[in-house]
């Protein structure tokens, strides 16, 4: 079977989402359908265990913050680092609530017969692994620096004195890492799947644009042309349906992401304004975590912006086709496609803001504005 001159493409059921699904499985967020009853029970225990250790960390960090409430630097430092875990934890809860809907959508996409490039599969897998390794390296680096300085990487309650000796300090850092890192891996697994799905939509829209531009009406092959055009319209309608379902599933997920970036930026601006030069290590810690948060947020906004651009590109591709030589009925159908494409596919953060580069800029502006107001009040 010839795939319309796209032999370099591969079917989705070759595993476009397989890496993301496997990653989610390993972090306790995606039980495989082939599991037996006993395996599902054990997997549920594993899933709840990771929830539990994340909650335990948040409680320990909260108690540690309260114990050091008189030291504004420690309080802000704990809030900054705990915010990352809160962000991932709330997104995990939302993901679990919408998991069944998401699973149905993925099954529908995989059954569609759509095609994606092999390079896309590799790109998404490489991105997820790179972000995981980079974050692990940053966290490990600052934990090592804290160990060398004889302090905690984050002030958290421990059932023993963590700074009593080097062994106690190492043990406390290991406990914190054990509680935090699974949650971080969960966040990157979710991000990988979400980004893969947006990239899938963008790729299919680009494919539709190419098909529209290459559609050539010839009287001798009129039936073939009409059939191709009908398939293009059906696929466009299907992609619009996928986009609306994704927007419904990830609405709250993106809202948490958007709010977290705004608060993170505000906290870091406050920290930069009060941390002295002598506390350069602490300053670099804040900036490193901020950069990672901004990178993750930018990836979401960039892909959301790309989805808007490519969906609007359908109208331009339709106009650039050889429609002037088409029969009147096909021209009318093409006009309907153009009208539909002028309402771009989109993802939104809680229905408040579209996921786009403009929203990313607005989040940065909001964070700085909140900081400026707080700074004026304090001064």
């Amino acid at each position: 079977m010839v795939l319309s001159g796209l032999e370099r493409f591969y079917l989705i059921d070759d595993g476009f989402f397989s890496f993301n699904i496997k990653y989610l499985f390993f972090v306790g967020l995606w039980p495989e359908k082939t599991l037996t009853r006993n395996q599902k029970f054990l997997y549920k225990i594993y899933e709840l265990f990771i929830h539990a250790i994340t909650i335990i960390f948040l409680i320990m960090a909260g108690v540690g913050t309260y114990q050091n409430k008189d030291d504004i630097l420690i309080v802000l430092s704990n809030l900054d680092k705990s915010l990352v875990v809160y962000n991932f934890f709330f997104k995990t809860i939302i993901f679990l609530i919408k998991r069944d809907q998401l699973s149905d959508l993925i099954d529908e996409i995989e059954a569609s017969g759509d095609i994606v490039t092999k390079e896309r599969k590799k790109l998404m897998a490489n991105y997820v692994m790179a972000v995981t390794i980079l974050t692990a390296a940053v966290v490990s680096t600052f934990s090592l620096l804290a160990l060398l300085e004889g302090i905690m990487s984050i002030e958290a309650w421990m059932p023993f004195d963590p700074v009593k000796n080097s062994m106690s300090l190492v043990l406390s850092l290991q406990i914190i890492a054990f509680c935090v890192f699974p949650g971080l891996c969960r966040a990157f697994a979710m991000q990988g799947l979400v980004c893969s799905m947006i990239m899938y939509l963008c790729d299919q829209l680009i494919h539709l644009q190419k098909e529209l531009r290459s559609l050539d009406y010839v009287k001798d092959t009129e039936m073939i042309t009409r059939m191709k055009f009908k398939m293009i319209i059906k696929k466009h309608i299907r992609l619009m349906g996928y986009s609306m379902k994704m927007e419904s599933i990830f609405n709250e997920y993106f809202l948490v992401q958007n709010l977290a970036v705004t608060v993170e930026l505000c906290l870091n601006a406050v920290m930069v304004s009060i941390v002295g030069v002598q506390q350069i290590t602490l300053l670099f810690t804040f900036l490193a975590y901020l950069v990672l948060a901004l990178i993750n947020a930018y990836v979401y906004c960039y892909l959301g912006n790309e989805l808007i651009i490519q969906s609007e590109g359908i109208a331009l591709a339709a106009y650039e086709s050889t429609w002037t030589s088409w029969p009147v009925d096909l021209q009318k159908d093409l006009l309907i496609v153009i009208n539909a494409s002028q309402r771009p596919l989109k993802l939104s953060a809680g229905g408040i803001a579209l996921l786009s580069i403009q929203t990313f800029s607005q989040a940065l502006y909001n964070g700085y504005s909140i900081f400026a107001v707080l700074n004026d009040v304090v001064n």
Side-chain angles (χ1 to χ4, degrees):
M1 178 179 175
V2 179
L3 295 174
S4 306
L6 295 172
E7 293 84 1
R8 63 189 182 86
F9 281 66
Y10 296 82
L11 288 175
I12 273 185
D13 54 19
D14 279 345
F16 182 51
F17 298 120
S18 62
F19 178 84
N20 306 114
I21 296 299
K22 187 62 67 176
Y23 197 168
L24 286 167
F25 171 78
F26 284 129
V27 296
L29 288 179
W30 201 274
E32 292 182 348
K33 297 177 181 179
T34 57
L35 295 179
T36 64
R37 182 177 180 181
N38 291 335
Q39 288 174 332
K40 289 180 179 179
F41 177 74
L42 293 175
Y43 190 83
K44 189 65 177 180
I45 294 176
Y46 171 62
E47 179 181 322
L48 294 175
F49 173 73
I50 299 182
H51 292 330
I53 61 176
T54 303
I55 294 172
I56 289 171
F57 166 77
L58 293 174
I59 293 173
M60 291 192 304
V63 174
T65 303
Y66 179 77
Q67 290 175 338
N68 295 273
K69 60 182 181 298
D70 296 329
D71 190 331
I72 187 62
L73 285 179
I74 292 179
V75 170
L76 290 177
S77 176
N78 272 26
L79 287 176
D80 182 61
K81 295 170 184 175
S82 297
L83 177 64
V84 176
V85 182
Y86 274 111
N87 175 24
F88 294 160
F89 181 71
F90 285 130
K91 287 197 292 188
T92 299
I93 298 301
I94 294 170
F95 184 88
L96 290 174
I97 294 173
K98 301 294 184 74
R99 184 169 60 186
D100 290 340
Q101 298 177 46
L102 183 58
S103 178
D104 292 340
L105 177 57
I106 289 176
D107 289 342
E108 187 177 347
I109 291 174
E110 291 181 339
S112 67
D114 288 336
I115 46 181
V116 294
T117 61
K118 187 176 181 180
E119 289 73 19
R120 280 299 193 195
K121 301 175 188 178
K122 292 181 178 179
L123 174 62
M124 203 61 250
N126 291 338
Y127 167 74
V128 174
M129 293 307 300
V131 171
T132 303
I133 294 172
L134 177 61
T135 304
V138 170
V139 173
S140 300
T141 299
F142 287 113
S143 296
L144 181 60
L145 288 175
L147 179 62
L148 295 176
E149 294 178 4
I151 59 175
M152 296 277 288
S153 59
I154 180 172
E155 291 295 333
W157 175 85
M158 293 289 166
F160 54 87
D161 185 1
V163 294
K164 181 179 181 180
N165 52 52
S166 58
M167 291 299 296
S168 298
L169 184 58
V170 170
L171 179 59
S172 65
L173 292 174
Q174 289 177 338
I175 292 173
I176 292 174
F178 176 76
C179 292
V180 172
F181 195 69
L184 296 180
C185 291
R186 279 184 161 188
F188 302 138
M190 291 185 294
Q191 183 180 23
L193 180 61
V194 174
C195 292
S196 292
M197 296 182 73
I198 301 174
M199 289 173 61
Y200 153 78
L201 285 179
C202 292
D203 285 348
Q204 299 310 311
L205 289 168
I206 292 173
H207 175 216
L208 280 183
Q209 292 175 33
K210 293 179 180 178
E211 291 290 299
L212 276 170
R213 289 190 176 96
S214 64
L215 203 59
D216 190 19
Y217 180 84
V218 180
K219 187 66 176 178
D220 295 339
T221 59
E222 179 179 358
M223 293 303 298
I224 296 177
T225 303
R226 288 181 177 274
M227 182 62 67
K228 286 182 178 180
F229 188 48
K230 180 180 179 181
M231 295 301 294
I232 289 173
I233 293 176
K234 290 176 65 176
K235 182 172 182 176
H236 189 213
I237 294 173
R238 180 163 51 81
L239 292 178
M240 288 191 291
Y242 292 163
S243 176
M244 288 187 288
K245 289 179 181 178
M246 285 180 61
E247 184 177 12
S248 174
I249 292 171
F250 296 118
N251 230 331
E252 297 83 4
Y253 179 95
F254 289 132
L255 177 61
V256 171
Q257 172 70 33
N258 195 43
L259 293 176
V261 171
T262 301
V263 177
E264 179 84 13
L265 182 63
C266 179
L267 278 175
N268 278 268
V270 172
M271 289 304 303
V272 170
S273 66
I274 66 176
V275 171
V277 179
Q278 65 276 14
Q279 296 168 306
I280 191 70
T281 301
L282 184 60
L283 181 60
F284 278 141
T285 302
F286 293 130
L287 293 178
Y289 286 125
L290 176 62
V291 169
L292 289 176
L294 292 179
I295 290 174
N296 289 331
Y298 178 79
V299 169
Y300 283 130
C301 291
Y302 171 80
L303 290 176
N305 196 75
E306 190 68 14
L307 178 62
I308 294 173
I309 292 173
Q310 297 305 333
S311 60
E312 289 177 335
I314 296 294
L316 179 61
Y319 182 75
E320 291 177 347
S321 64
T322 58
W323 60 270
T324 54
S325 61
W326 295 7
V328 175
D329 62 322
L330 283 182
Q331 291 180 354
K332 290 180 179 179
D333 291 340
L334 188 68
L335 183 60
I336 295 174
V337 172
I338 293 175
N339 288 333
S341 301
Q342 290 174 347
R343 296 188 295 273
L345 308 186
K346 57 183 174 50
L347 298 171
S348 68
I352 299 173
L354 295 182
L355 211 63
S356 64
I357 298 299
Q358 182 179 0
T359 300
F360 179 76
S361 302
Q362 187 65 43
L364 299 184
Y365 175 77
N366 290 341
Y368 178 76
S369 298
I370 296 172
F371 159 71
V373 172
L374 292 175
N375 192 50
D376 289 341
V377 171
V378 171
N379 293 333

